[in-house]
Amino acid sequence: MMHYPLYQIELPERPESVAFVNGFLTRDFMGFLWLWKNLFWINRVTTQAEGCVQVKAGICSLTEVMMVSYWRSEQNLKQFFRGKYHQQMMQFVIKHPGSLCLYNEIYQPSQVGKYIHEPQGMAMIYSRSTE
């Protein structure tokens, strides 16, 4: 029988936190170069933004990357959108609108999560109870 720590988060009645899923899909060589030149910078400035508690980036293919970031509140995320780093990211899209396909979705937790060994995602925000 395997033994490992298993716990779940305790969600408040009205959680403020959000998970932001965004993706970058290159559509031409210029978009490809921009993505790979800026990917680690995007990860770093997002992680350092006020209210961001964690960023998970995944490479789907050479031409597509997805990122999931966990925010204390939607207000923190909106503040990041209005900030200089996000505006800097969007300058490329404004100058080269056909080079990248961008997509994003925002989710609020509606159910508790379960975690093994260490906190990740929403467990970085909410308290935990051991099972």
Side-chain angles (χ1 to χ4, degrees), residues 38-104:
N38 291 285
L39 182 60
F40 294 106
W41 173 79
I42 293 168
N43 189 8
R44 183 173 40 78
V45 299
T46 304
T47 301
Q48 294 172 353
E50 182 179 342
C52 181
V53 296
Q54 190 173 51
V55 175
K56 298 287 190 175
I59 299 169
C60 301
S61 70
L62 285 175
T63 60
E64 185 175 12
V65 172
M66 284 186 63
M67 297 178 88
V68 179
S69 51
Y70 296 91
W71 297 81
R72 293 194 184 284
S73 70
E74 191 170 354
Q75 190 61 32
N76 289 138
L77 177 59
K78 287 179 180 179
Q79 183 178 338
F80 178 70
F81 288 155
R82 290 187 293 266
K84 69 178 183 178
Y85 295 122
H86 187 262
Q87 298 303 316
Q88 195 173 331
M89 290 176 211
M90 295 308 294
Q91 287 303 310
F92 177 81
V93 176
I94 292 166
K95 290 179 184 174
H96 308 282
S99 293
L100 289 174
C101 172
L102 303 176
Y103 54 95
N104 66 68

Side-chain angles (χ1 to χ4, degrees), residues 9 53-54 56 70 115 118-126:
I9 60 175
V53 296
Q54 190 173 51
K56 298 287 190 175
Y70 296 91
Y115 306 87
E118 62 187 49
Q120 298 293 323
M122 288 293 168
M124 303 286 287
I125 299 171
Y126 296 108

